[in-house]
Amino acid sequence: TDVTLSGQIIVTNTGEIAAGIGNAYQVELLRLVSSVDIEIINYSSNISGLIGNGTYVWMSDSVNTGDIYSSSDGNYIEAVGGLAGSLNSGEMVGNYNTGDILLPLTDGSSAGGLVGRLWNMTLHESYSSGEVNAPRMYHVGGLVGGYYFGQIYESYSAGTVSGNENVGGLVGESSYANITNTFSSANVTAINTG
């Protein structure tokens, strides 16, 4: 069954924040659509349009078009992405994001067009065309912010990406991951090139 989410969320305290599911365990998600805009005004982690934090998640044919943004100076955010904040174990196939992540005055790490942070996941046939603007954050990617122990294939990113350090058109930081048949046409800016 298709599920459509719309509206606005204002994050005023810490926790796992998502338009759909804050914390998910052993779930299969099919054809979720979110156009929810999320405004962050305090320290937060695991923020996204669909899933905040998930373990053993299988997501397919789902879409985020909502924006995630903050204009507060000095916020600290861990793991923010269009479809998911942080995921560990499972698969993502046929998903896309067109929403923007706009965090120009926010500190933290792991911001990605699709997912902020991925562990032990397979991601394929997915894309993000939204802007990821996080010039004070580390591990910033057009598709995934931080990616560890998994594989990405047949996917792409096309939005503008800016971050502080470890910044990439596809992935900001990666360890023990296999990325094939995947490309980025993003315009990438790293503030601190070391």
Side-chain angles (χ1 to χ4, degrees), residues 11-17 38-48 52 68-82 84-86 101-112 115-117 132-140 145-146:
V11 181
T12 59
N13 55 12
T14 63
E16 293 155 347
I17 308 298
I38 300 175
E39 180 181 6
I40 305 164
I41 59 175
N42 201 348
Y43 166 85
S44 298
S45 62
N46 303 324
I47 299 174
S48 86
I68 299 171
Y69 60 95
S70 178
S71 57
S72 300
D73 192 358
N75 281 348
Y76 190 90
I77 296 174
E78 289 281 342
V80 56
S86 181
I101 296 174
L102 306 172
L103 306 170
L105 301 175
T106 300
D107 299 314
S109 68
S110 300
V115 185
R117 186 180 295 133
V132 182
N133 179 14
R136 288 166 51 171
M137 294 181 71
Y138 295 81
H139 314 151
V140 179

Side-chain angles (χ1 to χ4, degrees), residues 25-39:
Y25 180 75
Q26 289 187 335
V27 295
E28 183 175 344
L29 304 170
L30 176 64
R31 294 192 303 271
L32 295 179
V33 177
S34 175
S35 62
V36 176
D37 291 330
I38 300 175
E39 180 181 6

Side-chain angles (χ1 to χ4, degrees), residues 82-115:
L83 271 74
S86 181
L87 295 177
N88 186 343
S89 301
E91 182 177 17
M92 298 182 73
V93 56
N95 304 293
Y96 70 89
N97 172 65
T98 60
D100 296 330
I101 296 174
L102 306 172
L103 306 170
L105 301 175
T106 300
D107 299 314
S109 68
S110 300
L114 273 182
V115 185

Side-chain angles (χ1 to χ4, degrees), residues 4 36 44 49 51 75 82 96 117 123 151 155 178-179:
T4 301
V36 176
S44 298
I51 297 179
N75 281 348
Y96 70 89
R117 186 180 295 133
L123 187 156
Q151 62 177 332
S155 299
N178 185 13
I179 302 173

